[in-house]
Amino acid sequence: MKVLGKYSHLNGEEYLIVHHKKLYKEILNVIATVDALQFRTKISKEKGRKEGKAMWNPKALNKEYARLFNAVGWRESKRQFYVSPDRKTAETLERMDFKAQGKYLDSIGQPRLYSYNQTDFVKDKVAVEVQMGKYFSVTYDLFVKHLSFYSGGMTNIGVEIVPMKCMQKDMSSGPPWFEKEVHNVLRHGRGNPPVPLLILGVAP
């Protein structure tokens, strides 16, 4: 596959080039290694699509990306935390590690409401998410997941890999597309979300 679109948010790409040039090259190499033509295997049965047309298979593509990233040492990472609907408590919890959060909640008499965020691929504080099948997951990645890992000190940058529109139009309804996801970030203003990001648009 090829990278046909890039959006660097809060100097995300510049950070990779300066501090993680080798890892950035690994990410690009993984993308280039994916032979998308092997994964045009899903036969359309949806309204608005030409019946019987071979389309890109999101699940198979995600699985191939996982295989290739895992092969060069990228691993899944989980951040555990407790939540609170109280602003002051939430802000205090965000500055603590998981064990300290539990003790703090006990000390102020609030319940331990457990949650977690999970990122597909992390290496040396660089997080990568590949989203080929669920458009709503990209918004969660960009505005919740990457920010959670960043504010928790577990990552320094988030990378999101999504299809370009020219690829998405030959996928089942539902997948995200680069141009729209970049627009969604731009509409929130230059500083939101407050985490360095690099969004990469890919296509065969």
Side-chain angles (χ1 to χ4, degrees):
M1 298 187 77
K2 300 175 183 178
V3 175
L4 298 185
K6 292 181 185 180
Y7 173 67
S8 178
H9 180 71
L10 298 182
N11 299 314
E13 183 178 36
E14 292 78 3
Y15 178 86
L16 282 175
I17 291 171
V18 173
H19 299 284
H20 294 288
K21 194 171 184 178
K22 183 179 178 182
L23 292 186
Y24 188 23
K25 186 176 181 180
E26 275 189 6
I27 294 169
L28 296 178
N29 283 343
V30 165
I31 294 170
T33 302
V34 175
D35 182 5
L37 295 178
Q38 293 185 40
F39 305 104
R40 193 156 189 162
T41 58
K42 188 169 185 178
I43 304 302
S44 174
K45 296 180 181 179
E46 298 178 15
K47 290 183 178 180
R49 307 281 185 179
K50 185 177 180 181
E51 189 173 347
K53 180 180 179 181
M55 309 183 82
W56 306 112
N57 189 322
K59 289 185 178 179
L61 282 165
N62 281 331
K63 187 175 180 180
E64 177 69 355
Y65 271 102
R67 183 184 73 81
L68 293 170
F69 272 114
N70 290 161
V72 288
W74 293 76
R75 296 290 180 262
E76 179 184 280
S77 181
K78 180 186 286 189
R79 185 196 178 204
Q80 302 178 88
F81 55 91
Y82 293 107
V83 304
S84 172
D86 176 71
R87 178 185 293 274
K88 184 177 179 181
T89 303
E91 290 174 348
T92 301
L93 291 173
E94 195 62 25
R95 297 190 294 267
M96 297 177 171
D97 63 35
F98 183 61
K99 288 184 178 180
Q101 288 178 13
K103 292 178 180 179
Y104 174 71
L105 289 170
D106 292 343
S107 72
I108 62 174
Q110 287 197 22
R112 295 190 180 197
L113 303 176
Y114 173 79
S115 188
Y116 69 92
N117 290 133
Q118 189 170 303
T119 294
D120 290 342
F121 314 108
V122 177
K123 192 173 183 180
D124 198 12
K125 291 196 170 185
V126 176
V128 177
E129 286 287 332
V130 179
Q131 292 293 354
M132 292 286 154
K134 300 176 181 178
Y135 71 89
F136 55 84
S137 294
V138 177
T139 300
Y140 185 79
D141 288 350
L142 297 177
F143 290 91
V144 178
K145 190 185 291 188
H146 285 307
L147 179 57
S148 174
F149 275 78
Y150 179 75
S151 61
M154 297 178 70
T155 61
N156 291 325
I157 181 174
V159 179
E160 197 79 9
I161 301 173
V162 296
M164 296 290 292
K165 179 61 176 178
C166 62
M167 179 179 180
Q168 185 267 351
K169 65 183 179 63
D170 285 330
M171 301 176 82
S172 303
S173 59
W177 39 292
F178 172 81
E179 294 88 342
K180 183 179 179 181
E181 299 309 328
V182 170
H183 176 85
N184 286 340
V185 173
L186 293 174
R187 75 201 307 178
H188 285 277
R190 295 178 65 183
N192 190 22
V195 52
L197 298 167
L198 176 60
I199 306 176
L200 299 175
V202 300

